[in-house]
Amino acid sequence: MGGGRKRGRTQRRHFKQGRENVWKHNPQRPPAGEGGEGREGNPSWQPFATENPAFEEYYKEQQIVPEEEWDDFMGMLRKPLPATFRINASCQFFQDICSQLENDFRKSLETEVSDEHEEEAIRPLPWYPGNLAWHLNFSRMQLRRNQALESFHEFLKRENEVGNITRQEAVSMVPPLFLNVQPDHHILDMCAAPGSKTFQLLEMIHQSTKPGLLPNALVVANDVDVQRCNLLIHQTKRMCTANLIVTNHEAQNFPGCNLAKFCPGTCMDEAKLQRLEFDRVLCDVPCSGDGTVRKAPDMWRKWNAGMGNGLHRLQIEIAMRGMGLLKVGGRMVYSTCSMNPVENEAVVAEILRRCGDSVELLDVSNELPELARRPGLSTWKVRDRGSWFGVHEDVPRYRKSVISPGMFPSGKSSKDVEVSTDVVDADMKDSTDMGEGEQETDIAIDDSNSGDNPKTEEKTEVDCESDEAPTRYKKSNSTSTHTEHSDYPLHRCMRIVPHDQNSGAFFIAVLHKLSPLNENHVVDEVKSEQNISKDKTGKLEKDLESDKVSSEENMVHQQVVDDTNVLDGERNGDMDSKSSKDKSSEDAKVIVNEAEKGQAGTRDRRRQQNQGKWRGVDPVIFFKDEVVVKSVVSFYGIKDSFPLEGHLVTRNPDTSHVKRIYYVSKSVQDVLELNIKVGERLKITSLGLKIFERQSSKDGSPCTFRLSSEGLPLLLPYITKQILYASAIDFQHLLQYRTIKFPDFVDATFGEEASALLPGCCVVVSREGHQDIGSIATDPSAIAIVCWKGKTNLCVMVSPLDGKELLERISLRFGLEIPKLDKEKPNQEIAGSDEQPDCATETDDQECLPESKASDMEIPDDKEAE
């Protein structure tokens, strides 16, 4: 495993220097051969070859598209992918952004159309509800290189960084739409990192809520890898939500939190209703990722037929676990960014076969009618070591253990022996606690968040995929004459192919749970298959380790590694990747050594108190310090109607040293309480909305905690003290100069009101456009910022990035001109002056992703090191 980590670090270092891309200069590629053309005078530039004969042979045989469409299909796969993005409908400036796109950019970019098949430079995707998703007639590389597009590119980057838009591949946006999410649903995203779909789900549940209110819904976003969880946290952090829990587990072994199994008989009646189940499950599984070849052209070189075969079993296990966690009546979406029927229709057919009458495949052809999609296949073949097989009985005996019956349309072997899984409903799931080592199983292949990123690894061909047969067997190039048709209605599945709507490729199936899974279907018969495949699966996972960093992860990771704090957090995260065996042995050694020293009792208790159950992850502690809570409520005049009791949590067991306090919704609170009752089976890496932060200052503020900018929109309607209402011009000056002395405000009355506040944190709200000051706080369009009232001045406490965004928004909204910053202007204070609080003391409280300035935390979809 050490070698795998070293290779992973080497890859990340190479990606930091500049990602390989078919559309850019690549100095590490060998010189172009005869006929190759240099670029910008450098003969070493050479595009990837967008050809792979095995790829074409495979998908021609599978009849993925009709023969007459083959040239169009392949021609589109060889073109760069147009950029797309989605507007966050729950963001404060949603209407302003829509207006900018329609009235400004859409007209100004008309002359830049470069594709003869496209009439518009930018346009809404017709199938996405509310014109919230936009298609650009430019590739990501064109956006970077074309000077005429510079202002638009800067707009995209800035709005993505602050969370107003998300840059995401169009087909990746499709699966969450078919979940039919409602405001009270509990949703599980099983393989979530790096988080584009999770962010989309959060948008859905927050879209209809009003200021100061939280939806009853909950999103649990899970990923197997600790570092990828950090990326997931960073991506979703832009949403500023109290309704999200991020967990770190193997998807196929996601814990079943059923209180009935942990409760004595006296409370069984109460426990029957307490188990963790979900109304919706998004099962976007690890896959070979060949549907992303337009965005990840290195796939042409990596692809081989065995990649899908090697992932088939894991995909079934994850899907079955998701079905077990789904409530009766709930809906699960299974999706991949692969075109391979072994990873798609074969997996869906196997789910239906194992679940029997408990699950149905839904016909959703009437949903999103403008989305071009094709029906799923009812027949396909399996390719193995140069041979084609139409039925399992034709597979050579020595390959039957790796080419399973479930890969074929009928799902039956020659002996008609059905293979099943030990995954059952949440209330049937074995309650044995899982160690951290469980995350090793699919750490290298879990890139399940998005069609944005190819879920592909270069070394997915172990024994079941290798092109070389054992020496005692001869490799054949035969094709079996038998074929099968599935009896299941797989035409209800959806295949999205690139040349239908100028997109990537994707596969989606929508499943509905009608009744609890039959335990007889899912327990006993899996043992033999698991024993046979154990060694091969382990080898597959080990081979995949070195290639686990996928294209989108690197795009996101590139932004994170530039921040020293985040790098430190990821180094700490490496400690979380040990196996459960290592974890157990190390913990045992610690206990034994302490016992020998006679100090085991005290130190071990202290260690458990500080660490919680999961090594390397601080526990979630309900914050119950009444003195602090009363101080905060009194200082800001927080109304009684805002619930605080049971909603405040921290990650530091020592409340006297808590640096940050987080707010969680009622739905998250319920899950936390259940998790505590069942022995902390969920490994929670992040949750909640940061609402208060400890603040040291020289002004002697009566309250030691300041408001957090992230939590301000939620708390604003309930604040009655330490709040000011500024004119548009004074609000603009605050954002522009960041520190202004009281006499220098344009509105003298405002300056007097500011000086009369108690020293410490305060809120400034722009009153422009509001007739009734008393109702501003509950107005969704109200713009407010957190400030600090010093002895002589008022100082803005928002990041420069957020400040710049707000400055532009208020200037556009009220027609104000942004003057150039005059360094000689008397009312401009030098950043870091004595009047400003010391904000650099907030790093003691460990978090999964360290805090840093928002301006340093950039994660645009396609940003790269120049």
Side-chain angles (χ1 to χ4, degrees):
M1 295 304 293
R5 292 194 186 97
K6 184 176 181 180
R7 289 192 297 272
R9 288 193 292 269
T10 302
Q11 284 184 328
R12 288 192 289 273
R13 185 166 61 251
H14 290 167
F15 273 100
K16 184 176 180 180
Q17 296 168 355
R19 289 183 295 112
E20 288 185 337
N21 194 299
V22 69
W23 315 120
K24 68 169 287 184
H25 165 67
N26 184 358
Q28 296 184 0
R29 280 220 164 269
E34 185 176 351
E37 295 181 2
R39 186 174 183 178
E40 299 177 355
N42 190 333
S44 66
W45 183 88
Q46 182 182 8
F48 286 120
T50 55
E51 293 182 358
N52 185 324
F55 176 92
E56 295 195 44
E57 178 194 358
Y58 186 83
Y59 283 117
K60 270 188 177 180
E61 183 69 25
Q62 300 288 19
Q63 298 180 8
I64 208 79
V65 295
E67 185 177 352
E68 61 271 18
E69 296 182 28
W70 183 257
D71 290 341
D72 292 338
F73 171 69
M74 292 301 300
M76 187 62 75
L77 285 179
R78 293 188 172 104
K79 291 183 178 181
L81 185 70
T84 50
F85 65 89
R86 191 184 65 256
I87 305 172
N88 180 1
S90 65
C91 76
Q92 184 178 19
F93 302 111
F94 159 62
Q95 296 293 347
D96 296 340
I97 293 171
C98 290
S99 177
Q100 240 180 314
L101 288 169
E102 287 283 0
N103 302 322
D104 297 338
F105 291 117
R106 198 169 186 178
K107 295 179 181 179
S108 64
L109 297 176
E110 284 180 354
T111 59
E112 299 301 322
V113 177
S114 60
D115 191 332
E116 65 275 12
H117 300 293
E118 294 282 353
E119 298 178 356
E120 298 177 283
I122 62 173
R123 59 177 172 81
L125 289 170
W127 47 266
Y128 201 98
N131 285 351
L132 294 178
W134 287 69
H135 167 102
L136 313 181
N137 184 31
F138 313 103
S139 68
R140 292 174 302 177
M141 186 53 62
Q142 287 173 315
L143 283 172
R144 297 190 197 104
R145 303 300 186 190
N146 191 332
Q147 290 185 349
L149 301 174
E150 183 177 358
S151 62
F152 183 58
H153 189 217
E154 290 300 317
F155 163 81
L156 291 178
K157 289 194 297 182
R158 182 179 68 251
E159 300 302 330
N160 186 88
E161 289 159 8
V162 299
N164 291 339
I165 71 169
T166 297
R167 302 169 76 178
Q168 181 182 5
E169 185 175 347
V171 288
S172 173
M173 305 176 193
V174 175
L177 296 178
F178 283 103
L179 281 173
N180 190 24
V181 170
Q182 301 300 316
D184 60 343
H185 279 168
H186 285 203
I187 309 160
L188 172 63
D189 189 350
M190 299 191 73
C191 309
S196 298
K197 292 185 183 69
T198 305
F199 198 94
Q200 190 177 356
L201 292 170
L202 292 169
E203 290 174 21
M204 292 175 178
I205 67 173
H206 280 280
Q207 190 170 342
S208 59
T209 56
K210 298 179 180 179
L213 298 178
L214 290 175
N216 295 323
L218 161 75
V219 176
V220 175
N222 178 70
D223 200 83
V224 68
D225 179 60
V226 172
Q227 293 189 17
R228 287 173 55 76
C229 278
N230 285 342
L231 301 179
L232 171 61
I233 293 164
H234 180 59
Q235 178 85 302
T236 53
K237 186 179 179 181
R238 303 173 303 138
M239 188 65 193
C240 298
T241 178
N243 296 66
L244 172 69
I245 298 176
V246 178
T247 61
N248 174 212
H249 294 283
E250 284 183 331
Q252 69 271 31
N253 291 317
F254 192 88
C257 297
N258 183 1
L259 185 58
K261 292 191 175 185
F262 296 85
C263 191
T266 55
C267 62
M268 281 298 290
D269 291 338
E270 175 188 355
K272 284 180 181 178
L273 301 177
Q274 297 192 45
R275 60 174 178 262
L276 185 59
E277 290 182 310
F278 298 91
D279 303 277
R280 298 290 186 265
V281 173
L282 178 58
C283 188
D284 189 53
V285 297
C287 67
S288 60
D290 53 27
T292 66
V293 67
R294 297 184 67 186
K295 188 186 63 183
D298 196 31
M299 174 61 63
W300 290 106
R301 176 180 63 85
K302 291 181 176 181
W303 189 91
N304 66 74
M307 295 169 71
N309 295 348
L311 290 165
H312 173 81
R313 181 176 286 109
L314 175 64
Q315 291 162 343
I316 293 173
E317 290 175 355
I318 293 175
M320 287 300 297
R321 184 61 191 137
M323 195 57 68
L325 292 163
L326 186 66
K327 290 180 181 178
V328 172
R331 179 181 285 199
M332 184 178 89
V333 168
Y334 174 87
S335 63
T336 76
C337 54
S338 167
M339 295 181 282
N340 193 341
V342 173
E343 302 177 73
N344 296 329
E345 286 90 347
V347 174
V348 174
E350 185 70 2
I351 295 170
L352 295 172
R353 188 180 68 81
R354 296 186 183 191
C355 295
D357 295 334
S358 295
V359 172
E360 68 171 334
L361 180 61
L362 292 181
D363 181 358
V364 291
S365 57
N366 292 327
E367 300 181 25
L368 304 183
E370 294 188 80
L371 174 67
R373 86 289 296 269
R374 302 190 180 205
L377 304 177
S378 60
T379 184
W380 61 89
K381 298 178 181 179
V382 178
R383 177 86 166 172
D384 180 52
R385 293 185 171 180
S387 298
W388 286 100
F389 303 105
V391 294
H392 187 258
E393 63 182 8
D394 289 342
V395 177
R397 180 180 54 82
Y398 73 93
R399 299 298 294 166
K400 288 185 184 293
S401 61
V402 288
I403 304 301
S404 65
M407 295 180 182
F408 296 87
S410 73
K412 298 179 180 179
S413 67
S414 56
K415 296 181 180 180
D416 198 25
V417 177
E418 297 187 358
V419 183
S420 193
T421 179
D422 60 349
V423 178
V424 295
D425 277 5
D427 56 333
M428 299 179 186
K429 179 69 175 176
D430 184 80
S431 61
T432 304
D433 287 341
M434 297 183 293
E436 289 205 35
E438 292 174 350
Q439 66 194 35
E440 293 292 339
T441 299
D442 57 348
I443 186 173
I445 51 181
D446 187 1
D447 193 4
S448 56
N449 167 277
S450 69
D452 292 8
N453 48 307
K455 295 172 263 190
T456 174
E457 315 304 331
E458 183 172 355
K459 296 183 179 180
T460 54
E461 64 278 9
V462 290
D463 188 32
C464 58
E465 299 91 26
S466 175
D467 289 334
E468 296 184 7
T471 55
R472 64 184 183 276
Y473 300 111
K474 290 184 178 181
K475 180 179 177 181
S476 66
N477 289 292
S478 62
T479 299
S480 67
T481 57
H482 303 92
T483 57
E484 294 178 336
H485 285 76
S486 177
D487 294 332
Y488 296 107
L490 298 180
H491 62 278
R492 296 178 180 175
C493 301
M494 288 169 281
R495 284 183 159 274
I496 299 176
V497 292
H499 61 291
D500 279 347
Q501 286 186 319
N502 194 8
S503 66
F506 227 77
F507 175 88
I508 303 108
V510 184
L511 298 151
H512 178 221
K513 188 171 182 178
L514 300 171
S515 62
L517 301 187
N518 186 341
E519 191 169 4
N520 294 330
H521 288 160
V522 290
V523 176
D524 299 325
E525 297 172 356
V526 72
K527 304 296 183 181
S528 59
E529 179 182 308
Q530 287 184 333
N531 291 335
I532 291 173
S533 63
K534 184 176 181 181
D535 294 338
K536 294 181 175 59
T537 302
K539 187 174 185 295
L540 169 63
E541 291 151 5
K542 192 173 294 184
D543 286 345
L544 290 172
E545 173 79 13
S546 63
D547 292 317
K548 69 179 178 180
V549 182
S550 64
S551 65
E552 179 170 347
E553 177 178 345
N554 282 292
M555 286 186 277
V556 181
H557 185 77
Q558 176 60 45
Q559 313 312 316
V560 181
V561 295
D562 289 338
D563 190 306
T564 304
N565 289 335
V566 178
L567 270 176
D568 292 340
E570 291 188 347
R571 291 187 189 109
N572 293 335
D574 287 340
M575 299 300 294
D576 298 331
S577 299
K578 293 183 178 295
S579 67
S580 57
K581 187 174 182 179
D582 294 337
K583 175 181 182 297
S584 300
S585 61
E586 288 182 15
D587 289 348
K589 290 178 182 178
V590 170
I591 295 174
V592 171
N593 291 338
E594 294 294 343
E596 292 174 351
K597 296 177 182 178
Q599 302 170 345
T602 302
R603 293 193 180 183
D604 191 49
R605 282 193 298 271
R606 185 180 302 138
R607 181 179 296 106
Q608 290 183 359
Q609 180 186 20
N610 291 335
Q611 288 188 342
K613 174 179 177 179
W614 299 102
R615 184 170 180 268
V617 177
D618 283 341
V620 179
I621 307 295
F622 282 103
F623 187 80
K624 299 179 180 179
D625 191 325
E626 294 184 4
V627 174
V628 171
V629 173
K630 287 181 179 179
S631 171
V632 169
V633 170
S634 174
F635 184 73
Y636 297 108
I638 300 175
K639 298 177 182 178
D640 293 339
S641 55
F642 185 75
L644 287 174
E645 185 178 356
H647 290 268
L648 301 179
V649 299
T650 181
R651 303 305 292 259
N652 192 340
D654 187 354
T655 55
S656 62
H657 291 88
V658 165
K659 299 297 182 183
R660 302 176 188 88
I661 301 174
Y662 298 84
Y663 192 88
V664 297
S665 66
K666 180 62 168 61
S667 55
V668 172
Q669 176 191 359
D670 292 341
V671 172
L672 288 179
E673 291 176 345
L674 174 61
N675 190 46
I676 292 172
K677 291 177 181 178
V678 299
E680 296 184 49
R681 302 200 69 222
L682 291 177
K683 182 182 178 183
I684 298 173
T685 59
S686 177
L687 82 168
L689 174 65
K690 185 170 63 176
I691 193 169
F692 303 119
E693 299 180 75
R694 188 180 294 274
Q695 184 66 63
S696 61
S697 72
K698 300 178 181 179
D699 300 326
S701 173
C703 182
T704 56
F705 282 84
R706 70 176 177 91
L707 300 172
S708 167
S709 294
E710 291 96 319
L712 179 59
L714 177 65
L715 196 57
L716 182 61
Y718 304 94
I719 296 176
T720 61
K721 298 179 182 178
Q722 294 294 107
I723 188 166
L724 299 168
Y725 300 93
S727 65
I729 189 66
D730 280 329
F731 198 86
Q732 182 191 41
H733 286 170
L734 265 173
L735 291 171
Q736 185 174 7
Y737 301 113
R738 301 188 64 81
T739 302
I740 299 180
K741 292 183 178 179
F742 301 134
D744 292 331
F745 284 104
V746 175
D747 184 350
T749 303
F750 177 80
E752 293 172 359
E753 292 174 350
S755 65
L757 291 179
L758 292 173
C761 183
C762 64
V763 178
V764 177
V765 184
S766 172
R767 69 168 184 257
E768 196 72 21
H770 302 281
Q771 300 298 325
D772 181 13
I773 291 182
S775 63
I776 291 180
T778 57
D779 188 339
S781 64
I783 302 176
I785 54 175
V786 177
C787 295
W788 188 269
K789 188 263 180 180
K791 293 179 181 178
T792 63
N793 62 21
L794 204 60
C795 170
V796 172
M797 299 192 76
V798 297
S799 71
L801 177 67
D802 289 334
K804 182 179 179 180
E805 165 70 8
L806 288 172
L807 181 61
E808 293 192 11
R809 288 295 161 204
I810 196 172
S811 300
L812 287 172
R813 181 176 290 186
F814 304 120
L816 301 174
E817 183 179 351
I818 305 177
K820 292 183 179 179
L821 191 63
D822 184 3
K823 294 185 178 180
E824 302 299 326
K825 194 173 180 67
N827 67 346
Q828 180 188 350
E829 294 294 322
I830 300 175
S833 66
D834 291 340
E835 296 295 342
Q836 297 188 45
D838 178 11
C839 299
T841 60
E842 306 170 5
T843 57
D844 296 337
D845 187 20
Q846 180 188 352
E847 293 188 275
C848 344
L849 188 66
E851 291 293 318
S852 64
K853 294 182 179 179
S855 58
D856 295 329
M857 302 288 284
E858 303 175 346
I859 52 168
D861 175 66
D862 60 347
K863 175 96 173 156
E864 70 174 320
E866 297 293 344

Coordinates of all heavy atoms in Angstrom, one line a residue, residues 64-97:
I64 N -24.1 -0.6 -30.0 CA -24.4 0.5 -29.1 C -25.2 1.6 -29.8 O -26.0 2.2 -29.2 CB -23.1 1.1 -28.5 CG1 -23.4 1.7 -27.1 CG2 -22.4 2.1 -29.4 CD1 -23.5 0.7 -26.0
V65 N -25.0 1.7 -31.1 CA -25.8 2.6 -32.0 C -26.0 1.9 -33.3 O -25.2 1.0 -33.7 CB -25.1 4.0 -32.2 CG1 -25.0 4.8 -30.9 CG2 -23.8 3.8 -32.9
P66 N -27.0 2.2 -34.1 CA -27.2 1.6 -35.4 C -26.0 1.8 -36.3 O -25.3 2.8 -36.2 CB -28.5 2.3 -35.9 CG -29.2 2.8 -34.7 CD -28.1 3.1 -33.7
E67 N -25.8 0.9 -37.2 CA -24.6 0.9 -38.1 C -24.6 2.2 -38.9 O -23.5 2.8 -39.1 CB -24.6 -0.3 -39.0 CG -23.4 -0.4 -39.9 CD -23.4 -1.7 -40.7 OE1 -24.3 -2.5 -40.5 OE2 -22.5 -1.8 -41.6
E68 N -25.7 2.7 -39.3 CA -25.7 3.9 -40.1 C -25.4 5.2 -39.3 O -25.0 6.2 -39.9 CB -27.1 4.1 -40.8 CG -28.3 4.3 -39.8 CD -28.9 3.0 -39.4 OE1 -28.3 1.9 -39.6 OE2 -30.1 3.0 -38.9
E69 N -25.4 5.1 -38.0 CA -25.0 6.2 -37.1 C -23.5 6.1 -36.6 O -23.1 7.0 -35.9 CB -25.9 6.3 -35.9 CG -27.4 6.6 -36.3 CD -28.2 6.8 -35.1 OE1 -27.7 7.2 -34.0 OE2 -29.4 6.5 -35.1
W70 N -22.9 5.1 -37.0 CA -21.5 4.8 -36.4 C -20.6 5.9 -36.7 O -19.8 6.4 -35.8 CB -21.0 3.5 -36.9 CG -19.7 3.1 -36.3 CD1 -18.4 3.3 -36.8 CD2 -19.5 2.7 -34.9 NE1 -17.5 2.9 -35.9 CE2 -18.1 2.5 -34.8 CE3 -20.3 2.4 -33.9 CZ2 -17.6 2.1 -33.6 CZ3 -19.8 1.9 -32.7 CH2 -18.4 1.8 -32.5
D71 N -20.5 6.4 -37.9 CA -19.5 7.5 -38.2 C -19.9 8.8 -37.4 O -18.9 9.5 -36.9 CB -19.5 7.8 -39.7 CG -18.9 6.6 -40.5 OD1 -18.2 5.8 -39.9 OD2 -19.2 6.5 -41.7
D72 N -21.1 9.1 -37.3 CA -21.5 10.3 -36.5 C -21.1 10.1 -35.0 O -20.6 11.0 -34.4 CB -23.0 10.6 -36.6 CG -23.4 11.0 -38.0 OD1 -22.5 11.5 -38.8 OD2 -24.6 10.8 -38.4
F73 N -21.4 8.9 -34.5 CA -21.1 8.6 -33.2 C -19.6 8.7 -32.9 O -19.2 9.4 -31.9 CB -21.5 7.1 -32.9 CG -21.1 6.6 -31.6 CD1 -21.6 7.0 -30.4 CD2 -20.2 5.5 -31.5 CE1 -21.2 6.5 -29.2 CE2 -19.8 4.9 -30.4 CZ -20.3 5.4 -29.2
M74 N -18.7 8.1 -33.7 CA -17.3 8.2 -33.5 C -16.8 9.6 -33.8 O -15.8 10.1 -33.1 CB -16.6 7.2 -34.4 CG -16.8 5.7 -34.0 SD -16.3 5.3 -32.3 CE -14.5 5.7 -32.4
G75 N -17.3 10.3 -34.7 CA -16.9 11.6 -35.0 C -17.1 12.6 -33.9 O -16.3 13.4 -33.5
M76 N -18.2 12.4 -33.2 CA -18.5 13.3 -32.0 C -17.6 12.9 -30.9 O -17.2 13.8 -30.1 CB -20.0 13.1 -31.6 CG -20.5 14.1 -30.5 SD -20.3 15.8 -31.0 CE -21.7 15.9 -32.2
L77 N -17.3 11.6 -30.7 CA -16.4 11.2 -29.6 C -15.1 11.9 -29.7 O -14.3 12.0 -28.7 CB -16.3 9.7 -29.5 CG -17.5 8.9 -29.0 CD1 -17.2 7.4 -29.0 CD2 -17.8 9.3 -27.6
R78 N -14.6 12.2 -30.9 CA -13.3 12.7 -31.2 C -13.3 14.3 -31.0 O -12.2 14.8 -31.2 CB -12.8 12.3 -32.5 CG -12.6 10.8 -32.6 CD -11.9 10.4 -33.9 NE -11.5 9.0 -33.9 CZ -12.2 8.0 -34.5 NH1 -13.2 8.3 -35.3 NH2 -11.8 6.8 -34.5
K79 N -14.4 14.9 -30.8 CA -14.4 16.3 -30.7 C -14.3 16.7 -29.2 O -14.8 16.0 -28.3 CB -15.8 16.9 -31.2 CG -15.9 16.8 -32.7 CD -17.2 17.5 -33.2 CE -17.3 17.4 -34.7 NZ -18.5 18.1 -35.2
P80 N -13.7 17.9 -28.9 CA -13.7 18.3 -27.5 C -15.1 18.6 -27.0 O -16.0 18.9 -27.7 CB -12.9 19.6 -27.6 CG -13.0 20.1 -29.0 CD -13.1 18.8 -29.8
L81 N -15.3 18.4 -25.7 CA -16.6 18.5 -25.1 C -16.9 20.0 -24.8 O -16.1 20.7 -24.2 CB -16.6 17.7 -23.7 CG -17.9 17.6 -23.0 CD1 -18.9 16.7 -23.8 CD2 -17.7 17.1 -21.6
P82 N -18.1 20.4 -25.2 CA -18.5 21.8 -24.8 C -18.6 22.0 -23.3 O -18.9 21.1 -22.6 CB -19.9 22.0 -25.5 CG -19.9 20.9 -26.5 CD -19.1 19.8 -26.0
A83 N -18.3 23.2 -22.8 CA -18.4 23.5 -21.4 C -19.9 23.7 -21.1 O -20.7 24.2 -21.9 CB -17.6 24.7 -21.1
T84 N -20.2 23.3 -19.9 CA -21.6 23.5 -19.4 C -21.5 23.9 -17.9 O -20.6 23.6 -17.2 CB -22.5 22.2 -19.5 OG1 -21.8 21.1 -19.0 CG2 -22.8 22.0 -21.0
F85 N -22.6 24.6 -17.4 CA -22.6 24.9 -16.0 C -24.1 25.0 -15.6 O -25.0 25.1 -16.4 CB -21.9 26.2 -15.7 CG -22.5 27.4 -16.4 CD1 -23.5 28.2 -15.7 CD2 -22.1 27.8 -17.7 CE1 -24.1 29.3 -16.4 CE2 -22.7 28.9 -18.3 CZ -23.7 29.7 -17.6
R86 N -24.3 25.0 -14.3 CA -25.6 25.0 -13.7 C -25.7 26.2 -12.7 O -24.8 26.4 -11.9 CB -25.9 23.7 -13.0 CG -27.3 23.5 -12.6 CD -27.5 22.2 -11.8 NE -26.8 22.3 -10.5 CZ -25.6 21.6 -10.3 NH1 -25.1 20.9 -11.2 NH2 -25.0 21.7 -9.1
I87 N -26.8 26.9 -12.8 CA -27.0 28.0 -11.8 C -27.7 27.5 -10.5 O -28.6 26.7 -10.6 CB -28.0 29.1 -12.4 CG1 -27.4 29.6 -13.8 CG2 -28.1 30.3 -11.5 CD1 -28.4 30.5 -14.5
N88 N -27.2 28.0 -9.4 CA -27.7 27.6 -8.1 C -29.0 28.4 -7.8 O -28.9 29.6 -7.5 CB -26.6 27.8 -7.0 CG -27.1 27.5 -5.6 OD1 -28.3 27.0 -5.5 ND2 -26.3 27.7 -4.6
A89 N -30.1 27.8 -8.0 CA -31.4 28.5 -7.9 C -31.7 28.9 -6.4 O -32.6 29.7 -6.2 CB -32.5 27.6 -8.4
S90 N -30.9 28.4 -5.5 CA -31.1 28.8 -4.1 C -30.2 29.9 -3.6 O -30.3 30.4 -2.5 CB -30.9 27.6 -3.2 OG -29.6 27.1 -3.2
C91 N -29.3 30.4 -4.6 CA -28.4 31.4 -4.2 C -29.2 32.8 -4.2 O -30.2 32.9 -4.9 CB -27.2 31.5 -5.1 SG -27.5 32.2 -6.7
Q92 N -28.6 33.7 -3.5 CA -29.3 35.0 -3.3 C -29.4 35.8 -4.6 O -30.3 36.5 -4.9 CB -28.5 35.8 -2.3 CG -29.2 37.2 -2.0 CD -28.4 37.9 -0.9 OE1 -27.2 37.6 -0.6 NE2 -29.1 38.9 -0.2
F93 N -28.4 35.6 -5.5 CA -28.3 36.4 -6.7 C -28.8 35.6 -7.9 O -28.3 35.9 -9.1 CB -26.9 37.0 -6.9 CG -26.5 37.8 -5.7 CD1 -25.5 37.3 -4.9 CD2 -27.0 39.0 -5.5 CE1 -25.0 38.1 -3.8 CE2 -26.6 39.8 -4.4 CZ -25.6 39.3 -3.5
F94 N -29.6 34.6 -7.7 CA -30.0 33.8 -8.8 C -30.6 34.6 -10.0 O -30.3 34.4 -11.1 CB -31.0 32.8 -8.3 CG -32.0 32.2 -9.3 CD1 -31.5 31.4 -10.3 CD2 -33.3 32.4 -9.2 CE1 -32.4 30.8 -11.2 CE2 -34.2 31.8 -10.1 CZ -33.7 31.1 -11.1
Q95 N -31.6 35.5 -9.7 CA -32.2 36.3 -10.7 C -31.2 37.2 -11.4 O -31.3 37.4 -12.6 CB -33.4 37.1 -10.1 CG -34.5 36.3 -9.5 CD -35.3 35.5 -10.6 OE1 -35.1 35.8 -11.8 NE2 -36.1 34.6 -10.2
D96 N -30.3 37.8 -10.7 CA -29.3 38.7 -11.3 C -28.4 37.9 -12.3 O -28.1 38.4 -13.3 CB -28.4 39.3 -10.2 CG -29.2 40.2 -9.2 OD1 -30.3 40.6 -9.6 OD2 -28.8 40.4 -8.1
I97 N -28.0 36.7 -11.9 CA -27.2 35.9 -12.8 C -27.9 35.5 -14.1 O -27.4 35.6 -15.2 CB -26.6 34.7 -12.1 CG1 -25.7 35.1 -10.9 CG2 -25.9 33.7 -13.0 CD1 -25.3 34.0 -10.0

